[in-house]
Each structure stands twice: as structure tokens, then as C-alpha cells.
């Protein structure tokens, strides 16, 4: 035990008489592995105690300029040295002097020259006490840091639990909300298809359909925040998407704002849902416009980060796992956010905008989409200095294909037979009416079990259009297996307002699964059906034969 203490023993002797060093050094021969340093000037000694990490100070009482009392008081006044043990050496064996020494703050008092055994014992005792105190202080400091980290972790867990609870609630609400929107929108579209509306009625229908579209966007944002929006992710290069959005961004910001786009020509690819990414960037641009009041600078950058790229040599922000990322930055010169607003920025429905000017879902939707895509989003802002959003999406080793030009597909139908499977009677009724108006032969089923009975009956079916989530013992996935077994040439098109955990795995829908999100527009439904039933897909000749057979059966 003595070896452990003395191996850390650092002693400073302060005495204006140089021979004192020799006497003390001789007396400390029994104190193994100690270090003795000598300083004649008490004026410099306080700094030396700190610099040399001294564990015991031996100081003479009577010295010119500054005596042992004054030196000890200075040592105690400095927070860095206030707890270092001081042993005062004096030729005066006067109780009054000793009392003054202890009042000044010394830990021990020895009359010159002490017996070496007593000197070693006292030095080792005070050295051990100093080391023990330092270890205790270090343990308390470590405990405080641990408590702070624990408090931060508890706060983060509470926030995550709160966001998850809100996410579960919004996901369930969005599912029922989408069905309601489908009923309203489907019947309004059916009115348009049937015709016979005067100009005033048509105008009213268009206004109502615009409201359905707004509701659909709100529902989509809720699902995106809740990370329950099935992502139809593809390999893409964000640079292509940003270039295509450039004109739209400028129109959103208005003529007084300046838009700077900086895209790394060697930008990597990533895997994401292009439509959702487009919505995220558009919402960030709208937030920037409102923060800048239409007059400022919006900077959009896309670069590589992490891994081997030169831009990635910089350290990734805290919270972003090491790896290779495509980073999209959207920065504005707006008014910025105070810390209390920044802390809640990703919460759904939290907004500082006046009533009617914002839903508070823009940033929460971006947060949900990025997390669901396997990335990270970092928000930084300061009042008067603007706001910056960095989106980190994992790099894809697969190169993105060149984007195909968008082609407007007109609304048209066909003569094929379609089985509609939907448990919501009103949704099923309006969908079947729309498909019938487009010329299709339409069969109906209210659940997957009823649909399997139709499939196994031998009826000719070209396409099964089925809801994903339905009551009953048979799931939509089991229905899909039955269709592939009994009708191998038939196509399957799923629809849902909320497909989490059924078709979507880890929030993403396989490229082999065809999904049409509710609420859907007749134009989108028509285009998807014609795409799936186009000649040459899954045995085009057989499909043509089936259509001919259907026409003959209908004629009989």
C-alpha cells in the first residue's frame, strides 16, 4: 500500500535557504519512488504547484517577500490548488504560531528538523489523502456526467415514445380517413364520368375534388411522419430530381427570392421514393419562403459525404452513423428559430405560423420519410441567421437509370374482366361503377375469402384489384397466392390507405408488388390497369384470347 501511494508522491519544497533541500532530501530517503522539487521563491510556488501536479507542499514559515502564512492563503484561494496538503516547517515550537499556521490553512506543522521517520510518515499520509481526494472528486465528476447523460437519454426516450405514440395514432386515423376520401372522391368522379352536369354543378364538383386532394395530401403527410407510408423506393440520383425541380422552386419562392443550386457532378445514387422526396424538398422550400417572407436566398446543395470521397473527409454530424451518404442541404436566410422552437420543430402539428397558414406537418413529414428511408435529418437554426436542413440518405452501389420523360395518359378503359375486392361497401360501389363506366366487366367481393371463391369458381379474370387490409380469416396476401395458383396470367393490383406490416417490409414496397395508394383518382386507376394489362405482359397473346372469349361470352 505504501508503494502505491509513494509511487505517486510529488513533493514541492519552498525554502529560501538552499541547504534545506539537502536536509529534506536526506530525510526522505525512506520515501520510495517520490519526486522532490525545490523552489526558493514562494511568489512562483503557487503556479508550480499547479504545473507540477504536486501532492504535498513543504513550506518554510519565515521567508522574505512572502512568508509561509501568506503563501498558504494564496494556495487556498486558488480553486486549482486549494486542496493540496501543506506541511509547514519552522524552528519555532510556539503554540500560538502553530495556531496561526492552522488558521491560515496548513494541514500539518513540523519543527525543524524533524526525524526522517516522522517526516516520511507524515508526507506519505498527506500524499495518500491528496490522491484519495482527487480520485473521489474524479468519481463525483464522472457521476455528474453519467447523470447528465442519463437525463439526456431519458429525455430522448420520452421524446421517441411520444413520437411513436403519435405515429400509431396518426397511422390509424389516416387509414380510415383515406377510405372516407375515396368514397367522396370516387362518387364525385363518377358524377363527372356520367355527365349531364351543368356548368355550375361541374364547378361545385371540381371544388369538392380539390378539397379531396388537399385531404389526401394531409393524410399522406400524416403517414409519412408516422413512417407508415409505403415507400415505392427506386435507385435514383437526387441531382436529376433537383434539376427537374429548379423551375418549380423558383416559382414557389417568388420573383424577389434568389435560388442557388449546387449539385456535385459526381453525386452518388441512393434508394428512395422519388415522389416522397420531391414532396419533402418542396415543403422545405415553402418553409424557407415563409421564413424569408419571400425575399432572401435559398441554397440547395447535393454532395457526397463519408467514405472515400473528398467532401466526405469532414466528420459527419453527431447522430449520423458512419458510412457513405448522399447529402441534400436546404438552407435559407430567414429569421431562424429560437432554441425552444428548434427543439420541437419535428413534432407534428407544431407550428409558429398563424392559424390557417400552416399545418405543422412539413418538417415532421420530412423527418418520417428520411428515417423510413434509412437516413438521418439534421436541423440547425439560429435567430437572425436562417435555417439549414441536411438530409443524409445512404449511398447505393447501383447506378441510377436516366429518368424517363413524363407522359400524360388519358382516361380510358377496356373490355377485360376485373375482380374488385373491398370490405368498405361505399368504396367498392363507387370503384365498381367507375370501372363499369370505363367498359370493364366487373366482379365484386367484400373480403378475401369471397374473392378466393370467385377465383376458384373458374370465372375468367384478367385483373384482381384488392384492398390490402380487410377483416376475416383470409388475408390479401393469401388471396394473391390463390390468384397466382389458379389464374397465373391474371394481374394483381393492391390498394390501401395504410399498408404497414402487410405489403410494406421495413416501410418499403417490393418492386414486384403493384400498389395504388388511396385515395386514388380515376385517371391513376385507369393508367395503372392499362399498364398492367398491356399486350405482351405475362403472355400477351393469352390475354388477347381471354378478352376475345370474354366478349363472346358477353354476346351470348
Amino acid at each position: 500500500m505504501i508503494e502505491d501511494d509513494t509511487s505517486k508522491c510529488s513533493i514541492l519544497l519552498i525554502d529560501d535557504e538552499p541547504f534545506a533541500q539537502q536536509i529534506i532530501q536526506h530525510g526522505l530517503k525512506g520515501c520510495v519512488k517520490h519526486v522532490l522539487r525545490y523552489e526558493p521563491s514562494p511568489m512562483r510556488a503557487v503556479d508550480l504547484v499547479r504545473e507540477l501536479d504536486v501532492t504535498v507542499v513543504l513550506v518554510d514559515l519565515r521567508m522574505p517577500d512572502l512568508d509561509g502564512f501568506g503563501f498558504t492563503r494564496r494556495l487556498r484561494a486558488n480553486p486549482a490548488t486549494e486542496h493540496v496538503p501543506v506541511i509547514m516547517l519552522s524552528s519555532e515550537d510556539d503554540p500560538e504560531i502553530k495556531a496561526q499556521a492552522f488558521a491560515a490553512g496548513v494541514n500539518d506543522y513540523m519543527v525543524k528538523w524533524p526525524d526522517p521517520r516522522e517526516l516520511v510518515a507524515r508526507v506519505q499520509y498527506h500524499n495518500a489523502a491528496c490522491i484519495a481526494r482527487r480520485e473521489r472528486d474524479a468519481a463525483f465528476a464522472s457521476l455528474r456526467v453519467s447523470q447528465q447523460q442519463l437525463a439526456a437519454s431519458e429525455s430522448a426516450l420520452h421524446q421517441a415514445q411520444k413520437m411513436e405514440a403519435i405515429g400509431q395514432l396518426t397511422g390509424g386515423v389516416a387509414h380510415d380517413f383515406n377510405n372516407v376520401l375515396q368514397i367522396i372522391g370516387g362518387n364525385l368522379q363518377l358524377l363527372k364520368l356520367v355527365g349531364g352536369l351543368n356548368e355550375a354543378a361541374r364547378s361545385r364538383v371540381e371544388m369538392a375534388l380539390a378539397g379531396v386532394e388537399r385531404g389526401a395530401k394531409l393524410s399522406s403527410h400524416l403517414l409519412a411522419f408516422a413512417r407508415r407510408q409505403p415507400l415505392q423506393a427506386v435507385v435514383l440520383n437526387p441531382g436529376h430530381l433537383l434539376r427537374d425541380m429548379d423551375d418549380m422552386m423558383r416559382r414557389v419562392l417568388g420573383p424577389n427570392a434568389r435560388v442557388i443550386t449546387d449539385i456535385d457532378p459526381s453525386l452518388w445514387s441512393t434508394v428512395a421514393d422519388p415522389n416522397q422526396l420531391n414532396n419533402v424538398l418542396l415543403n422545405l422550400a415553402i418553409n424557407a419562403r415563409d421564413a424569408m417572407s419571400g425575399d432572401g436566398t435559398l441554397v440547395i446543395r447535393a454532395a457526397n459525404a463519408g467514405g472515400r470521397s473528398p467532401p466526405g473527409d469532414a466528420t459527419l454530424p453527431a447522430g449520423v452513423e458512419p458510412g457513405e451518404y448522399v447529402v441534400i442541404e436546404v438552407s435559407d436566410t430567414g429569421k431562424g428559430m429560437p432554441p425552444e422552437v428548434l427543439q420541437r420543430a419535428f413534432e407534428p402539428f407544431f407550428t409558429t405560423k398563424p392559424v390557417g397558414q400552416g399545418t405543422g406537418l412539413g418538417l415532421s413529414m420530412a423527418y418520417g420519410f428520411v428515417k423510413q428511408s434509412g437516413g438521418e435529418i439534421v436541423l440547425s437554426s439560429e435567430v437572425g441567421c436562417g435555417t439549414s436542413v441536411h438530409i443524409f440518405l445512404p449511398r447505393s452501389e447501383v447506378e441510377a437509370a436516366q429518368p424517363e420523360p413524363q407522359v400524360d395518359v388519358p382516361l380510358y378503359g377496356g373490355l377485360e374482366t376485373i375482380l374488385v375486392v373491398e370490405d368498405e361497401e361505399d368504396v367498392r360501389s363507387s370503384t365498381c361503377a367507375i370501372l363499369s363506366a370505363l367498359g370493364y366487366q366487373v366482379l365484386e367481393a367484400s373480403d378475401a375469402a369471397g374473392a378466393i371463391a370467385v377465383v376458384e369458381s373458374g370465372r375468367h379474370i384478367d385483373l384482381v384489384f384488392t384492398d390490402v387490409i380487410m377483416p376475416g380469416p383470409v388475408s390479401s396476401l393469401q388471396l394473391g397466392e390463390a390468384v397466382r395458383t389458379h389464374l397465373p396470367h391474371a394481374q394483381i393490383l393492391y390498394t390501401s390507405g395504410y399498408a404497414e406490416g402487410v405489403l410494406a417490409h421495413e416501410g418499403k414496397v417490393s418492386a414486384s408488388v403493384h400498389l395504388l395508394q388511396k385515395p386514388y383518382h380515376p385517371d391513376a386507376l385507369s393508367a395503372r390497369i392499362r399498364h398492367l394489362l398491356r399486350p405482351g405482359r405475362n403472355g400477351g397473346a393469352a390475354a388477347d384470347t381471354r378478352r376475345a372469349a370474354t366478349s363472346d361470352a358477353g354476346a351470348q
Side-chain angles (χ1 to χ4, degrees):
M1 182 68 182
I2 293 179
E3 279 194 17
D4 289 342
D5 290 340
T6 55
S7 65
K8 304 175 184 177
C9 190
S10 175
I11 307 165
L12 178 63
L13 172 63
I14 307 168
D15 197 311
D16 58 323
E17 297 291 345
F19 68 86
Q21 180 182 4
Q22 298 175 359
I23 297 174
I24 295 299
Q25 193 167 19
H26 176 76
L28 289 174
K29 281 183 178 181
C31 186
V32 296
K33 295 185 180 178
H34 69 276
V35 177
L36 175 65
R37 298 176 179 87
Y38 170 70
E39 172 57 44
S41 171
M43 303 298 291
R44 292 184 60 248
V46 173
D47 293 334
L48 283 175
V49 171
R50 184 174 59 253
E51 293 172 9
L52 300 176
D53 196 25
V54 171
T55 58
V56 179
V57 175
L58 299 173
V59 61
D60 188 25
L61 171 59
R62 302 299 180 186
M63 294 180 292
D65 299 328
L66 185 67
D67 61 14
F69 298 144
F71 164 79
T72 303
R73 293 189 186 97
R74 287 194 181 186
L75 204 67
R76 298 292 177 247
N78 191 322
T81 59
E82 60 178 336
H83 298 302
V84 176
V86 176
I87 301 175
M88 183 169 285
L89 299 173
S90 174
S91 58
E92 302 177 40
D93 191 11
D94 184 348
E96 182 63 30
I97 298 297
K98 292 179 181 179
Q100 293 179 26
F102 285 113
V106 302
N107 300 86
D108 210 338
Y109 189 99
M110 301 184 74
V111 178
K112 292 181 178 179
W113 297 104
D115 183 276
R117 291 170 296 179
E118 182 182 2
L119 175 64
V120 169
R122 296 199 184 194
V123 166
Q124 289 181 345
Y125 170 80
H126 291 296
N127 172 72
C130 180
I131 292 173
R133 185 185 185 98
R134 289 180 179 180
E135 290 174 348
R136 185 202 66 182
D137 291 345
F140 277 124
S142 177
L143 179 61
R144 282 194 297 271
V145 171
S146 298
Q147 289 174 333
Q148 292 168 355
Q149 291 174 342
L150 178 61
S153 298
E154 289 175 344
S155 175
L157 177 61
H158 174 73
Q159 182 73 2
Q161 290 173 334
K162 180 175 68 173
M163 299 289 266
E164 180 64 22
I166 296 174
Q168 291 176 353
L169 173 64
T170 54
V173 169
H175 171 257
D176 292 339
F177 189 42
N178 279 332
N179 274 335
V180 172
L181 291 174
Q182 187 59 55
I183 294 169
I184 299 170
N187 283 284
L188 290 171
Q189 292 290 351
L190 191 58
L191 281 175
K192 288 180 63 179
L193 285 175
V194 171
L197 298 176
N198 58 34
E199 193 61 33
R202 180 175 290 276
S203 175
R204 293 292 182 183
V205 168
E206 292 292 347
M207 288 174 62
L209 285 172
V212 170
E213 185 175 350
R214 287 179 59 189
K217 288 182 179 179
L218 175 62
S219 177
S220 176
H221 288 177
L222 285 170
L223 285 171
F225 156 72
R227 288 183 257 177
R228 288 165 171 79
Q229 178 84 311
L231 299 179
Q232 295 177 299
V234 297
V235 179
L236 59 87
N237 188 305
H240 300 320
L241 186 143
L242 289 171
R243 292 184 187 95
D244 292 341
M245 292 185 66
D246 190 68
D247 289 341
M248 182 187 297
M249 292 285 196
R250 296 179 190 279
R251 287 196 296 271
V252 166
L253 265 73
N256 296 327
R258 182 185 178 205
V259 179
I260 299 175
T261 304
D262 180 14
I263 301 173
D264 186 343
S266 61
L267 192 66
W268 292 328
S269 301
T270 187
V271 178
D273 186 321
N275 292 327
Q276 291 295 327
L277 180 56
N278 187 300
N279 289 339
V280 166
L281 296 174
L282 189 59
N283 275 301
L284 293 180
I286 292 172
N287 285 347
R289 177 199 64 192
D290 296 343
M292 298 187 299
S293 302
D295 185 9
T297 300
L298 178 71
V299 178
I300 302 173
R301 291 190 179 93
N304 303 325
R308 299 177 299 274
S309 72
D313 293 341
T315 304
L316 294 171
V320 179
E321 294 291 331
E324 295 180 327
Y325 296 91
V326 174
V327 184
I328 302 174
E329 176 189 356
V330 180
S331 301
D332 64 60
T333 57
K335 54 189 177 184
M337 307 179 196
E340 63 273 14
V341 172
L342 183 63
Q343 187 177 8
R344 301 184 59 192
F346 288 131
E347 289 184 17
F349 304 111
F350 175 76
T351 178
T352 57
K353 297 177 183 178
V355 176
Q357 294 187 21
T359 62
L361 285 173
L363 282 174
S364 64
M365 185 267 286
Y367 175 87
F369 163 74
V370 173
K371 287 288 189 179
Q372 193 176 358
S373 300
E376 294 289 346
I377 182 168
V378 178
L379 179 65
S380 57
S381 185
E382 187 176 341
V383 175
C385 298
T387 300
S388 179
V389 181
H390 288 79
I391 295 173
F392 294 81
L393 296 174
R395 177 191 183 182
S396 170
E397 297 295 339
V398 179
E399 288 297 324
Q402 289 294 325
E404 298 179 0
Q406 294 287 339
V407 178
D408 292 332
V409 179
L411 178 66
Y412 65 96
L415 301 175
E416 292 87 354
T417 299
I418 298 176
L419 171 60
V420 176
V421 189
E422 170 63 63
D423 62 296
E424 286 273 355
E425 183 178 353
D426 292 336
V427 175
R428 186 174 70 250
S429 174
S430 62
T431 300
C432 289
I434 290 173
L435 293 175
S436 296
L438 292 174
Y440 294 106
Q441 298 288 324
V442 182
L443 306 175
E444 299 183 38
S446 60
D447 56 27
I452 288 180
V454 175
V455 168
E456 293 177 345
S457 71
R459 293 289 300 269
H460 170 72
I461 300 172
D462 293 287
L463 183 141
V464 176
F465 182 47
T466 177
D467 192 16
V468 173
I469 300 177
M470 293 179 291
V474 182
S475 69
S476 57
L477 294 182
Q478 291 172 307
L479 170 60
E481 290 297 326
V483 171
R484 282 186 282 273
T485 300
H486 296 279
L487 300 170
H489 296 294
Q491 298 296 319
I492 305 175
L493 176 60
Y494 294 97
T495 183
S496 180
Y498 174 62
E500 173 73 8
V502 182
L503 291 181
H505 299 284
E506 295 183 356
K508 299 177 182 178
V509 178
S510 169
S512 63
V513 174
H514 306 289
L515 176 67
L516 181 63
Q517 283 292 110
K518 290 180 181 179
Y520 46 81
H521 193 279
D523 291 351
L525 177 60
S526 166
R528 292 297 293 275
I529 290 175
R530 292 321 315 162
H531 174 74
L532 292 175
L533 295 178
R534 68 186 186 275
R537 183 182 181 93
N538 282 7
D544 293 339
T545 302
R546 289 199 305 274
R547 283 193 292 274
T550 304
S551 299
D552 292 342
Q556 292 174 3

